[in-house]
Each structure stands twice: as structure tokens, then as C-alpha cells.
Amino acid sequence: MFRIILSVFIGIVAMPLFAQINMQDSTATLVAYWAKGDKLKYTAESYTYEIQDNDTICTKNCRELVTIEVTDSTADGYILKYISSDSEVYYRDSLSNELQNWIAKKTEGIPLLLKTNEFGNILDIVNWDEIYNTRSQVLDSIKTITAERLTKATDGQSGEKIKQLQQVMAAMFNGISNLLLNKNVAINSMPISRALAFHGKRYELYELYEDNLKLPSPFDQTPIDVKSEFWFKEYDTTSSWAKFAQEMQYNSDQLVNSFLNVSKIQIPETEREHIFLYTYFTEYIHTNSGWVDDGLFNTVSADAKKTKTNGWSFEIVTE
């Protein structure tokens, strides 16, 4: 999943939400209102498109089935069992494709037990020791694979070319390692984390909410300044659908420094000024049932040579 120059591990899958809608004063409050035994499934898709020289190229397209079940409910929060399965993985880059298919094969079906507060915000992965041990074994295999590929790729190459390939391989391995073995990264990059960010707050219809946030970098978890705007955009009284949307702009200088800290790859100063990261997220909530039906999350990044869109889309499975 790790790509050079501002590819981020941001994704989203919907969670059960309860939106208390009061149309007399056009307000909505998002609250986790779940019960033990609640269970839902979503189809989720993640993708990456690059635009370069007026050409649009798909460099990644992955699909999976996500199952979420409430296994415990208390006054202080919930325990959610999260399982991904039926993965279909495509990366245009052959090595990334091989590694990500390997990761999916070895990790899917293994439940993550997520602890939340009373609003539904994820606080911890309860069975992290078990997850860490499994992922460590996967990472050992990846290290062996990348070493073999590096040996083949550098055969007969010059010293400078070998150095460049070593940097690329190291950046890829470090990114995968950080995603798999850093618990904070694992929580923040999980496909459900963004959907739970606004629980416990009241919103007015059509009102724009602005906030200056400190969010962890997708690369090394250092805090980055982020400007956030959020709307309760639409409410259909007939169908009971409510639409929420959010936009976020990351501080480019801080993001670049975070990337350089992990990758150790040098980016010319003339190219850094063209680098940015922007996200846009929408989701629909059925207020009578309390479940999110579908959503879309896009992250647009750019450098001096290309523009890239990383995204997640999801849709509830009706059985």
C-alpha cells in the first residue's frame, strides 16, 4: 500500500450511527446507540488514480467484505468485532501487487476487537498482542520477499542505481511495517475510524463548522496542522436520509517533513511547493434505523509531476 510521495493509508467504512434529528430547530446529534449482537456487513473498495500528462491511470483497486458486530455494550462504551474477508487486490506495480496480495491472504478473517467510548470513538485494539504477533510473521515474509526482489533488480546495475532502488525498497518496507505493527497507525488507518469522528456533537442543518485540528501523520504519526470544515448538508423527511460531509486540508510543509522522516528520500525544494494533501468525505445515515447506508472518502495529493486520488467507497449489504 505504501507509494512514494504522499500516498496515504486513509480509508473509511461506515459504522452504525444513531442520528437524533429534530427538524423543528434543524439540528442533529450523532450518538453511538448500539446493542450487543448488532451486526452489519459492507462491501468496501479502495482505489488510487494518477493523472499525469492528461492520462488517467488506475494504480490500485481493492475490494473486500467487512463484517462488524457489537460483542459487548456497557455504559462506558462498546467492544466491536471487525473482520475483513473475500479480498480482491490489484496494484499496477508488480511488487506492490505481490506484497499486498500476500498481506491480504495472511491477515483477512482474523478478528480485530475494537474498544470504543460511549460515543463510539475507537480507543484501543483489545487483542493487539495477538494481532501484532500475526502481523510480525507476515512482515518477516515480506522482508524476505523484498530482499530477493532487490537482489534481482540490482543485478548488473551501477552503484547509483542500486542506491536508488535500495531507497525505494526501504521506503516501501518501512511504510508497510509502520501500518502493520504500530497500533496507533493501525487504529487511525482503519476503514471505520473516520466515520466515528463526530459522535456526541450537535449540528445545525446547512451550518458550516470550522476547526483547526492536530491529526497524526499517515507516515510517522507526528502531529500535523489540519484545517477542517464540516456540514450537516441534507435531510430528506420523506425517506429519513441525512447527509454529512467533511473537508480537510493538511499542512503541506509538515506533511512533507513527516514523509521524509520515514522514507529518507530527498525531494527537491522546487517540487515541495507543489505538494498538498486534501480530503473529502460524505456519508448517508438512515435516521430511523440508525445505520449508515453508504459513503465516499477521497484524498487528493499532488507533487510536481502528477496528481493522485486515493479513495474508499462503501455500501451496506442487504441480506
Side-chain angles (χ1 to χ4, degrees):
M1 292 182 186
F2 190 85
R3 303 286 296 175
I4 304 304
I5 309 297
L6 300 182
S7 282
V8 296
F9 306 103
I10 299 178
I12 183 167
V13 159
M15 280 298 302
L17 302 178
F18 181 73
Q20 298 173 333
I21 305 293
N22 183 345
M23 292 314 297
Q24 292 183 345
D25 61 5
S26 300
T27 62
T29 302
L30 300 184
V31 181
Y33 200 69
W34 310 325
K36 184 177 180 180
D38 284 353
K39 187 176 182 180
L40 70 159
K41 293 183 179 181
Y42 288 94
T43 54
E45 179 182 7
S46 61
Y47 49 83
T48 299
Y49 291 93
E50 294 183 0
I51 301 176
Q52 187 172 3
D53 298 328
N54 296 321
D55 291 329
T56 301
I57 303 170
C58 177
T59 59
K60 166 190 171 184
N61 191 283
C62 304
R63 301 171 185 268
E64 64 181 337
L65 179 67
V66 174
T67 303
I68 301 168
E69 182 179 0
V70 181
T71 61
D72 195 16
S73 173
T74 68
D76 297 326
Y78 304 88
I79 300 295
L80 310 177
K81 182 167 69 173
Y82 174 96
I83 299 177
S84 63
S85 61
D86 300 332
S87 298
E88 299 176 11
V89 178
Y90 164 76
Y91 280 76
R92 187 167 182 261
D93 175 75
S94 60
L95 178 58
S96 296
N97 193 63
E98 180 181 2
L99 295 180
Q100 297 304 330
N101 272 280
W102 177 268
I103 292 172
K105 179 180 178 181
K106 296 298 183 180
T107 60
E108 73 172 13
I110 300 175
L112 279 73
L113 301 180
L114 310 177
K115 180 181 179 181
T116 79
N117 61 17
E118 67 272 27
F119 299 121
N121 306 119
I122 299 174
L123 303 177
D124 196 11
I125 301 176
V126 178
N127 60 334
W128 177 248
D129 288 344
E130 175 188 349
I131 298 299
Y132 185 93
N133 290 335
T134 299
R135 293 182 174 187
S136 293
Q137 295 175 21
V138 173
L139 195 65
D140 287 341
S141 298
I142 290 175
K143 188 174 183 178
T144 300
I145 293 172
T146 54
E148 292 174 351
R149 298 299 178 273
L150 181 61
T151 299
K152 292 181 180 179
T154 56
D155 185 30
Q157 299 289 340
S158 64
E160 184 61 29
K161 183 64 175 181
I162 292 175
K163 182 178 179 180
Q164 292 176 356
L165 290 171
Q166 288 174 335
Q167 289 178 331
V168 170
M169 289 289 194
M172 179 181 293
F173 182 80
N174 289 340
I176 293 175
S177 176
N178 201 36
L179 178 65
L180 290 178
L181 301 185
N182 186 315
K183 183 163 67 171
N184 288 331
V185 175
I187 291 174
N188 289 321
S189 62
M190 285 192 62
I192 62 173
S193 58
R194 295 279 173 166
L196 307 178
F198 295 94
H199 281 54
K201 299 180 182 180
R202 179 176 292 274
Y203 303 96
E204 283 193 33
L205 186 62
Y206 310 131
E207 186 76 14
L208 173 64
Y209 297 86
E210 296 181 302
D211 201 0
N212 293 315
L213 307 175
K214 283 281 190 180
L215 296 180
S217 162
F219 304 115
D220 64 0
Q221 290 295 288
T222 57
I224 292 181
D225 293 323
V226 178
K227 181 181 179 181
S228 173
E229 296 181 339
F230 184 78
W231 299 268
F232 171 23
K233 295 192 71 172
E234 300 174 14
Y235 184 64
D236 188 325
T237 56
T238 302
S239 63
S240 298
W241 288 112
K243 180 180 181 180
F244 293 84
Q246 179 194 18
E247 295 182 2
M248 293 190 295
Q249 178 71 54
Y250 286 68
N251 182 289
S252 296
D253 291 339
Q254 296 173 13
L255 197 70
V256 170
N257 290 334
S258 168
F259 172 77
L260 295 177
N261 184 49
V262 172
S263 69
K264 310 303 181 184
I265 294 176
Q266 297 301 314
I267 302 177
E269 291 289 342
T270 54
E271 295 186 8
R272 297 188 188 189
E273 63 185 35
H274 299 286
I275 294 175
F276 69 85
L277 178 62
Y278 165 84
T279 68
Y280 180 71
F281 157 53
T282 61
E283 69 177 355
Y284 286 88
I285 303 170
H286 191 264
T287 58
N288 288 346
S289 65
W291 299 101
V292 173
D293 183 75
D294 63 80
L296 175 69
F297 185 87
N298 277 330
T299 298
V300 180
S301 60
D303 57 38
K305 297 180 180 179
K306 61 181 176 293
T307 299
K308 180 182 296 184
T309 297
N310 293 276
W312 268 86
S313 63
F314 57 89
E315 186 175 0
I316 197 168
V317 176
T318 56
E319 300 178 327

